[in-house]
Structures are given as structure tokens and as C-alpha cells.
Amino acid sequence: DPPRSNSAGEAADWGNRSENMILAEAAARLDLPVQIDVLEAVTHYELKLQGSLDGILQGDGRTIEHDPAAGIYVAGGSVALTGPGVLEAKLTSVMPLDEPADYRGPIQCQGLMMCTGYTWSAIATLYRGTEMRIYIAAADAAVQEKIKADIFDFEERLDVWERDGVMDWYPALTPNDAQK
């Protein structure tokens, strides 16, 4: 079947269609059981934070080491695969990177770990349809505190809008951002 058009475009459609294959391959390379097609949203017990998991890996207790030759990139050099872990699939046309950009999964995975209580995550990124890299990371308290602070900041901005009718814009980061 040809890709179906959707509001996010053809690239997003290919990403959606490739997701289960990427997840299955990542699980095989890590030699871990995987649950794919997780349908239930995960919700933080206290914060206004929700997310959806692409997959869940079941850790086997071993410590995985940074091994670029095998396509395994571990933040901090090693991570214990204890209990379940967040598994995210990404498909991109950019050149392979040794560390994914924050907007290509790391922040998302930290938020998902906050919602689930999992202590580790894996982002399986298929670059240009020809090279997969798997990025493993442990829960990062500093990043999670920043996410928490950003949630509170966003909620405060909504409260100001509801209470006073004043739009409290985020500061522009670029000239293009400012013109919008």
C-alpha cells in the first residue's frame, strides 16, 4: 500500500508505519522481551503530565555498556536494565548522531519515566532508512526536575489567562519565533 496522507505529512506517515518494525528490531538487538502496541496512556500520579509509550522493554538486570560499534549509545557509559524500560521508536532523514537531539526523544523519555516510574529508557532511531542506533539512558533527576518546573510554569500561564485574560507568552528564541 502507498503511504496515506495525514495532517502531519508523509514523513510522519512513514514513521508511524515503520514503528513496530523499529521496536521489534531494537528489542532483538538488545535481546530483551518487548511489549508493542501499548494502547493505554500513562499519567503521572501528581503532575498534569501524560504520555503514550511506543513500547515497553523488560530488563533482565544486566548492565549495558556504551558500544558504538554495535549501534548502542549509553548516556553516562553504562545503565542497569532493571525492571521495565520505556522504548521509543524514531525515524528520521538526518545523518546519524552519537547523541540524539533533546527533541528527538530524550526529553519525551524522561517524562515517560516520570509517569511510569521506570528507571531507564531506550530510543531506537532509524536514520535515513539504513542505520539504527539505540540510545539508552537512566532516569535523570535534574532533567525531571526541569520538566516538573516547566509544567508548573505552563500551569501558571494558563491560570493567568483564565483569571486575568492576559496571555503570558514564552520568550522568543529566534527571529522566526518572534514573528509568529
Side-chain angles (χ1 to χ4, degrees):
D1 291 335
R4 290 176 292 282
S5 175
N6 67 36
S7 62
E10 188 171 0
D13 189 54
W14 280 111
N16 291 335
R17 292 172 65 119
S18 303
E19 185 172 282
N20 287 354
M21 180 265 309
I22 293 168
L23 298 171
E25 180 60 24
R29 290 184 187 194
L30 294 170
D31 194 26
L32 293 173
V34 65
Q35 177 187 349
I36 295 175
D37 292 328
V38 180
L39 301 178
E40 303 82 26
V42 292
T43 302
H44 193 276
Y45 69 96
E46 181 179 50
L47 302 171
K48 291 184 179 179
L49 179 63
Q50 285 188 323
S52 61
L53 299 162
D54 291 344
I56 301 170
L57 287 167
Q58 186 55 53
D60 57 10
R62 72 186 140 115
T63 297
I64 193 160
E65 304 287 333
H66 189 69
D67 186 2
I72 308 295
Y73 295 78
V74 181
S78 66
V79 170
L81 305 181
T82 304
V86 170
L87 177 59
E88 284 297 310
K90 304 294 180 192
L91 176 67
T92 182
S93 63
V94 303
M95 293 298 291
L97 301 169
D98 290 344
E99 185 177 311
D102 283 344
Y103 59 84
R104 281 214 171 89
I107 301 296
Q108 175 188 8
C109 283
Q110 290 296 326
L112 290 168
M113 285 187 278
M114 290 170 71
C115 290
T116 60
Y118 299 170
T119 61
W120 63 279
S121 67
I123 304 166
T125 304
L126 182 59
Y127 287 96
R128 307 186 127 211
T130 61
E131 182 176 341
M132 180 180 285
R133 293 189 178 187
I134 303 171
Y135 304 99
I136 311 288
D140 184 324
V143 172
Q144 292 185 3
E145 279 300 313
K146 174 71 168 105
I147 291 170
K148 184 176 178 179
D150 288 345
I151 290 167
F152 290 145
D153 176 67
F154 183 71
E155 287 298 317
E156 176 60 26
R157 291 168 192 267
L158 290 177
D159 290 345
V160 167
W161 169 251
E162 287 179 6
R163 184 182 62 241
D164 305 329
V166 175
M167 182 68 67
D168 185 8
W169 298 99
Y170 287 97
L173 299 177
T174 67
N176 285 340
D177 191 21
Q179 89 180 31
K180 292 178 185 173

